[in-house]
Amino acid sequence: MKRALIFFLFSKVFLVTLMAQTLQECQEAAERNYPLIRQYELIGKTTDLTVSNISKGWLPQVSASAQATYQSDVAAWPEQMQTMLQTMGVDLKGLRKDQYRVGIDIQQTLFDGGAINSQKEIARQQGKVQEAQTEVDIYKVRKRVNEMYFGLLLIDEQITLNKDLQELLAQNEQKLASMLKGGTAAESDYLSVKAERLNVIQQKTGLESQRQALQRMLSVFCGIEVRQAEKPVLPVAVTQQQAGQRPELKAIEAQLRLANAQEKALDAALMPKLGVFAQGYYGYPGLNMFEDMMRHRWSLNGIIGARLTWNIGALYTRKNDKATLHTQRSSLQVQRDMFLFNNRLEQIQQHEDITRYRKLMADDEEIITLRSSIRKAAESKLSHGIIDVNDLVREINAENAARVQQTIHEIELLKAVYDLKYTTNQ
């Protein structure tokens, strides 16, 4: 059972590692691993809590209070009435200047003109704006993955060419060793080729060090071990299109919807509010003030009723508030136009890069064929003593440079294609 579990876990790890070798899998893994991805859940929870709190505005609003006061004067009987009542044997104590009250106030909104609903909609739209901005930041992760991924591909190709160059130099080194034994080559020629081969080995060490650093960076960024980058298939053709799916445009649209919700809230603020209320308290004096003038005792008291309020203070700032929202919309429209304009320029530049690299690659193969023929001829001439070893090394390096250029053009073409995909969010 234990062995089966270990095999299952190993298979899962191997499968994830294997799948992550493609560019798409690396991008998806990086997005899942990026710390900001957790912001989505936090934004959703915060928005739900805010909307829930606003919805509680429809619940009865209950407040409790207690107060004790001492007044400089209180309501009293007229002196003539007080004298008359005293002659009748009625003792009028009057109200005491120290008064006390412990009570509860309950208010229930029946109609608010849409204020609560508008505030809920604003909270939802604010949450969507935050989510859209988070999506913009996460989308940028793709570009960073592209840079590291194609950098890793280029280094791998250079390491492969380096190995081929080492083999070619080793073959010529063996030929010169044989010629040196036969007395047809100088020792300096043999040592020159050997030194060049050792120099290429040093270059390989540097390339492998760069690859290891880049591989670690990409693995950490993606949250999985990326051992080998798989070269993407070059599309036959890539067309230009509008960048309507870019998250930056979605973020602008979310801000426009928020402005619309805020404008509706301005209209709701002008509507009257209707509600019912109930007040009850225990204290002295009560609502029956005449009774409390005769008997100094606490009593229970209550009031129920309906209340209609209409605050027209929102009219004072309504014009400026609407002008502010209009300015905000205009600014967002300008941002959208600027983004589309710059995006269009990026697409033009990237299409030109793709065309340029395709043209360069059309000649790369012929250049390599010619350089290979020249190098082989130089090897033959060296065997017959027509040229020296420096001429051969120069031709070998020229052929290798042509192969390196072909690799660079191929990787740069792939990168340009996927940069265009990033620009258009394909």
Side-chain angles (χ1 to χ4, degrees):
M1 180 67 183
K2 184 176 180 181
R3 293 179 61 185
L5 179 60
I6 294 175
F7 177 78
F8 173 77
L9 294 176
F10 176 79
S11 300
K12 292 283 288 183
V13 172
F14 178 78
L15 179 61
V16 172
T17 303
L18 181 62
M19 291 177 61
Q21 305 312 303
T22 65
L23 178 59
Q24 181 179 355
E25 291 297 331
C26 282
Q27 289 176 342
E28 293 175 356
E31 290 179 1
R32 291 193 301 267
N33 183 60
Y34 200 57
L36 194 60
I37 195 67
R38 294 190 291 272
Q39 187 74 5
Y40 276 119
E41 182 179 358
L42 297 177
I43 292 173
K45 289 182 178 180
T46 302
T47 301
D48 292 341
L49 292 173
T50 302
V51 172
S52 177
N53 287 340
I54 295 174
S55 299
K56 288 179 172 56
W58 288 112
L59 297 178
Q61 305 300 307
V62 181
S63 61
S65 63
Q67 70 176 34
T69 61
Y70 184 86
Q71 302 178 193
S72 62
D73 204 356
V74 293
W77 295 99
E79 186 176 350
Q80 294 84 353
M81 185 177 291
Q82 187 175 5
T83 302
M84 181 182 66
L85 291 174
Q86 285 178 351
T87 58
M88 296 171 62
V90 179
D91 184 16
L92 297 177
K93 298 179 180 180
L95 290 178
R96 295 173 54 177
K97 292 184 177 180
D98 56 320
Q99 300 182 4
Y100 309 91
R101 176 179 295 190
V102 177
I104 295 178
D105 189 353
I106 302 176
Q107 300 185 42
Q108 173 65 59
T109 300
L110 299 179
F111 175 75
D112 68 344
I116 291 179
N117 286 336
S118 62
Q119 291 301 317
K120 288 165 59 177
E121 182 62 20
I122 288 176
R124 293 190 187 97
Q125 295 302 329
Q126 286 175 338
K128 291 180 180 178
V129 168
Q130 294 177 4
E131 288 179 353
Q133 187 56 53
T134 302
E135 186 179 353
V136 170
D137 296 333
I138 293 178
Y139 185 74
K140 296 177 182 178
V141 169
R142 297 187 186 183
K143 190 169 186 178
R144 297 175 65 179
V145 171
N146 286 356
E147 296 291 337
M148 290 184 284
Y149 192 90
F150 286 106
L152 185 60
L153 276 177
L154 181 59
I155 291 179
D156 284 341
E157 293 292 339
Q158 290 177 334
I159 290 176
T160 300
L161 293 175
N162 182 279
K163 292 179 180 179
D164 294 340
L165 181 58
Q166 288 184 47
E167 292 177 1
L168 183 59
L169 289 171
Q171 292 173 4
N172 283 276
E173 184 179 340
Q174 293 176 359
K175 291 180 181 179
L176 286 169
S178 300
M179 293 172 64
L180 179 61
K181 291 180 179 180
T184 58
E187 184 179 4
S188 60
D189 293 340
Y190 168 76
L191 296 177
S192 178
V193 173
K194 184 177 181 179
E196 186 65 24
R197 182 174 61 82
L198 294 176
N199 182 51
V200 173
I201 293 176
Q202 285 186 334
Q203 293 175 8
K204 179 187 177 184
T205 301
L207 290 172
E208 289 177 341
S209 177
Q210 294 178 30
R211 186 191 188 281
Q212 185 177 12
L214 195 55
Q215 179 190 4
R216 288 180 179 178
M217 289 175 59
L218 184 58
S219 298
V220 171
F221 197 78
C222 295
I224 53 177
E225 184 179 359
V226 182
R227 297 180 180 177
Q228 189 72 34
E230 180 180 332
K231 186 185 297 184
V233 178
L234 181 65
V236 177
V238 182
T239 59
Q240 288 179 292
Q241 64 180 33
Q242 292 293 329
Q245 299 300 317
R246 281 290 293 263
E248 291 86 348
L249 294 177
K250 295 180 181 179
I252 292 175
E253 291 296 331
Q255 294 180 64
L256 287 172
R257 289 192 294 269
L258 174 59
N260 294 335
Q262 290 171 334
E263 185 170 13
K264 290 182 180 179
L266 294 179
D267 297 332
L270 289 176
M271 300 297 292
K273 310 294 188 295
L274 176 64
V276 294
F277 66 92
Q279 297 175 347
Y281 70 91
Y282 179 68
Y284 171 84
L287 296 177
N288 190 345
M289 190 173 297
F290 293 106
E291 180 70 21
D292 292 336
M293 286 182 179
M294 300 177 66
R295 296 179 179 85
H296 293 172
R297 63 182 182 182
W298 288 33
S299 61
L300 288 171
N301 303 269
I303 301 174
I304 61 173
R307 181 182 294 117
L308 178 66
T309 60
W310 195 352
N311 182 9
I312 62 173
L315 284 172
Y316 304 150
T317 59
R318 179 179 175 81
K319 182 178 180 181
N320 290 340
D321 291 339
K322 279 189 167 288
T324 300
L325 290 174
H326 178 73
T327 303
Q328 182 179 346
R329 286 196 190 92
S330 299
S331 177
L332 291 171
Q333 293 286 356
V334 171
Q335 292 180 32
R336 179 166 57 186
D337 292 342
M338 287 179 58
F339 178 82
L340 290 173
F341 180 78
N342 292 330
N343 186 273
R344 177 64 176 171
L345 292 180
E346 287 183 15
Q347 290 191 51
I348 293 174
Q349 180 62 53
Q350 288 162 354
H351 271 282
E352 290 299 323
D353 290 341
I354 291 173
T355 302
R356 175 165 56 89
Y357 287 126
R358 287 186 185 277
K359 290 180 179 179
L360 291 173
M361 289 182 62
D363 297 329
D364 281 336
E365 194 63 40
E366 184 178 359
I367 293 174
I368 291 174
T369 301
L370 294 175
R371 286 295 180 186
S372 178
S373 299
I374 295 173
R375 185 260 306 167
K376 292 177 180 179
E379 289 175 342
S380 177
K381 291 178 181 180
L382 180 65
S383 301
H384 293 83
I386 300 175
I387 61 173
D388 58 21
V389 73
N390 292 328
D391 294 329
L392 174 62
V393 171
R394 183 173 62 252
E395 297 303 335
I396 291 175
N397 288 332
E399 180 187 0
N400 180 70
R403 295 183 183 278
V404 170
Q405 283 298 315
Q406 183 188 41
T407 298
I408 292 175
H409 293 159
E410 182 181 4
I411 300 301
E412 289 293 342
L413 174 60
L414 282 170
K415 184 176 180 299
V417 169
Y418 280 87
D419 284 345
L420 180 59
K421 286 178 173 291
Y422 172 84
T423 302
T424 56
N425 194 15
Q426 296 184 38

